[in-house]
Amino acid sequence: MPGWEIIGKEESRALKTLFDEGGVLFAHGFNKFRKKFHVREFEKLAARKFKIKHAQAVSSGTAAIKIALLAIGVKRGDEVITQAFNFIATIEAILDIGAKPVMVNVDRTLNMSISDLKRSITKKTKAIIPVHMLGVPADMSNIMKIAKKSKIKVIEDNCEAMGAKLNKKYLCAIGDIGVVSFDFSKTITCGEGGMIYTNNTKFSKFIKEYHDHGHENNPKLARGMDSRSIYGFNYRITEMQAVVGKVQLNKMSKILKMQKQRYKELNLKLKNNFDLREVPVNSEITHDTFILFVNDEKKRKEIIKILDQKKFGTKNLPDAIKWHCSAYWDHALEIRQVKRSNKTKNLLATAIAIPISLKRSVEEYKILGKLILATTK
Ligand SMILES: *Cc1c(COP(=O)(O)O)cnc(C)c1O
């Protein structure tokens, strides 16, 4: 959650400098009026940080998913596989281009179940969108293997696990395309925004042009005379967001370190007495949320009560479950897809999510761990 929790002085100083040096111009062009290209700098910094060739900043994570789907050539009527523990944005991006979302259940990692994925591939499947939920990487090794065999492209929705790694590689660098979000509730934030990552130059060319009305941003031509080969839309991010994003990106390792300290206290207290969310081998998680499974209804209620009383809340399990499980999305999905998601709904009904907040001290998490442990006595 924390980007918004440690935002202030540095970001505000960066914004002031922006207004002193040219203000709110587009990402490209208008060279006479400006000293800097902040969106370009933000992209360069982000690409370097995660060791991916191309990065394109856009207006939101949802827009990022939609553009990624278009880049790999998903068309009306194609099937796109994603998962039942998720956020509605992923489904909206699929629906917005006329494709059909196919829901796969999650396993006890709370990420995409590999066996259910295998069962769900058809001749119409064009893309798989695994979502690295709440800080933990999906089983990308198996997902990539399955996708390659069936010649399907993979888009990593990494809106909730920026900074996590699998086999020493940052997420977003493993699939064909990866996306993150910078909305206020994500690891780092610039209010709203997203980034699309890819090592594929052809996809990158489409992404750069599509998000900016088809502008090729030909360096030899003025913007008004620019060349074009496709039409697109406006999913640009602003220079204001980019200056904030740059500062926040530099805070990422500090944020991840602070999350880990807090998470560790809960883990120490609870790991021997509770059934915890499973984590894939060789992964480095972001410690965004601590999740435990409690089957006993009475004990579950008792723990949730402690979390409410101590003002931690339970993030989306169960607090905002209706926005995060496709068993509740009959307003958007075919009834078959809603029903398929029941298995995930039943698993999530036994889970409790403890948000890791930087506004609460390590000591407070230590005490919380003790209180929760006491319910087992
Ligand atoms: C936040 C989020 C999105 C959407 O990002 P926005 O920037 O808010 O549009 C998509 N997928 C997941 C899993 C998310 O958590």
Side-chain angles (χ1 to χ4, degrees):
M1 306 174 69
W4 74 281
E5 296 180 312
I6 56 163
I7 200 160
K9 236 190 293 167
E10 298 88 354
E11 289 82 355
S12 147
R13 207 179 302 129
L15 275 167
K16 184 175 179 313
T17 311
L18 167 75
F19 287 113
D20 292 343
E21 290 184 347
V24 297
L25 301 163
F26 285 153
H28 305 285
F30 307 96
N31 301 23
K32 302 197 278 263
F33 304 119
R34 68 201 305 157
K35 290 208 169 123
K36 290 222 167 121
F37 292 89
H38 294 285
V39 174
R40 287 187 193 171
E41 282 180 17
F42 184 30
E43 289 163 351
K44 211 181 263 176
L45 199 67
R48 212 180 301 140
K49 184 146 206 130
F50 299 108
K51 301 187 170 66
I52 306 172
K53 213 150 133 197
H54 308 282
Q56 175 64 58
V58 292
S59 52
S60 73
T62 313
I65 301 168
K66 177 178 167 179
I67 298 166
L69 286 166
L70 291 170
I72 64 174
V74 176
K75 302 244 160 27
R76 190 165 290 276
D78 289 342
E79 290 179 2
V80 177
I81 293 177
T82 186
Q83 66 198 51
F85 183 35
N86 204 329
F87 176 56
I88 187 80
T90 312
I91 279 74
E92 288 167 333
I94 299 168
L95 291 172
D96 212 45
I97 60 174
K100 185 185 151 187
V102 173
M103 309 312 294
V104 159
N105 283 296
V106 298
D107 58 25
R108 293 181 83 79
T109 64
L110 297 183
N111 285 328
M112 191 173 272
S113 150
I114 298 301
S115 52
D116 207 14
L117 168 63
K118 281 184 187 159
R119 271 196 294 275
S120 306
I121 290 173
T122 73
K123 277 197 292 247
K124 287 189 176 169
T125 310
K126 276 288 157 59
I128 305 169
I129 311 181
V131 187
H132 308 295
M133 286 300 284
L134 299 170
V136 175
D139 181 357
M140 287 302 292
S141 319
N142 273 314
I143 292 171
M144 292 311 289
K145 232 182 265 166
I146 293 165
K148 279 197 178 121
K149 210 172 97 193
S150 310
K151 297 196 167 58
I152 299 168
K153 295 282 183 260
V154 176
I155 298 169
E156 292 178 68
D157 179 340
N158 192 28
C159 291
E160 299 190 4
M162 187 195 295
K165 289 180 182 172
L166 190 68
N167 297 318
K168 305 220 153 44
K169 249 187 173 173
Y170 275 113
L171 300 184
C172 285
I174 306 168
D176 296 283
I177 300 183
V179 306
V180 300
S181 159
F182 306 120
D183 82 24
F184 102 95
S185 68
K186 304 303 204 274
T187 304
I188 69 164
T189 185
C190 51
E192 296 276 5
M195 193 75 79
I196 312 175
Y197 297 95
T198 184
N199 284 311
N200 181 310
T201 304
K202 195 178 108 216
F203 295 157
S204 165
K205 180 172 164 19
F206 177 91
I207 292 161
K208 285 189 185 311
E209 292 168 14
Y210 186 85
H211 96 287
D212 186 16
H213 300 297
H215 270 285
E216 284 183 321
N217 287 301
N218 186 332
K220 296 196 189 87
L221 300 171
R223 194 165 164 91
M225 299 299 287
D226 199 8
S227 52
R228 63 225 161 254
S229 57
I230 55 163
Y231 70 88
F233 209 79
N234 178 2
Y235 288 114
R236 289 188 304 252
I237 196 168
T238 64
E239 291 281 275
M240 290 176 282
Q241 287 160 296
V243 293
V244 175
K246 279 191 289 177
V247 178
Q248 283 267 301
L249 200 55
N250 284 326
K251 289 183 178 176
M252 190 185 82
S253 32
K254 179 180 158 194
I255 290 171
L256 296 183
K257 200 169 134 205
M258 289 174 78
Q259 291 189 157
K260 190 172 179 178
Q261 291 166 336
R262 285 154 179 77
Y263 187 103
K264 231 172 75 186
E265 293 299 334
L266 292 176
N267 200 45
L268 266 168
K269 290 277 179 312
L270 304 178
K271 67 178 178 199
N272 294 328
N273 292 273
F274 285 95
D275 203 3
L276 303 184
R277 177 185 191 182
E278 289 171 14
V279 170
V281 284
N282 296 327
S283 58
E284 285 172 50
I285 67 172
T286 67
H287 308 96
D288 173 89
T289 310
F290 188 89
I291 301 179
L292 52 157
F293 297 104
V294 183
N295 283 314
D296 183 294
E297 189 58 28
K298 197 167 142 259
K299 197 155 121 194
R300 212 174 104 80
K301 285 205 169 119
E302 208 180 324
I303 295 169
I304 291 171
K305 200 168 141 199
I306 293 170
L307 287 162
D308 284 340
Q309 277 171 348
K310 299 291 166 196
K311 299 199 164 48
F312 284 90
T314 63
K315 206 163 179 170
N316 44 27
L317 299 171
D319 274 8
I321 184 66
K322 289 183 180 162
W323 284 96
H324 292 279
C325 176
S326 52
Y328 296 97
W329 298 342
D330 56 2
H331 65 301
L333 293 171
E334 284 176 0
I335 198 69
R336 198 169 95 84
Q337 301 301 331
V338 174
K339 284 199 176 137
R340 280 190 84 168
S341 312
N342 267 328
K343 197 171 160 196
T344 295
K345 183 182 168 187
N346 293 337
L347 174 64
L348 296 178
T350 68
I352 301 173
I354 307 177
I356 301 296
S357 165
L358 302 190
K359 287 194 184 288
R360 311 297 290 267
S361 68
V362 177
E363 189 58 28
E364 281 180 281
Y365 277 95
K366 201 183 232 173
I367 295 166
L368 179 64
K370 267 189 211 161
L371 287 171
I372 294 174
L373 183 62
T375 63
T376 63
K377 298 285 158 27

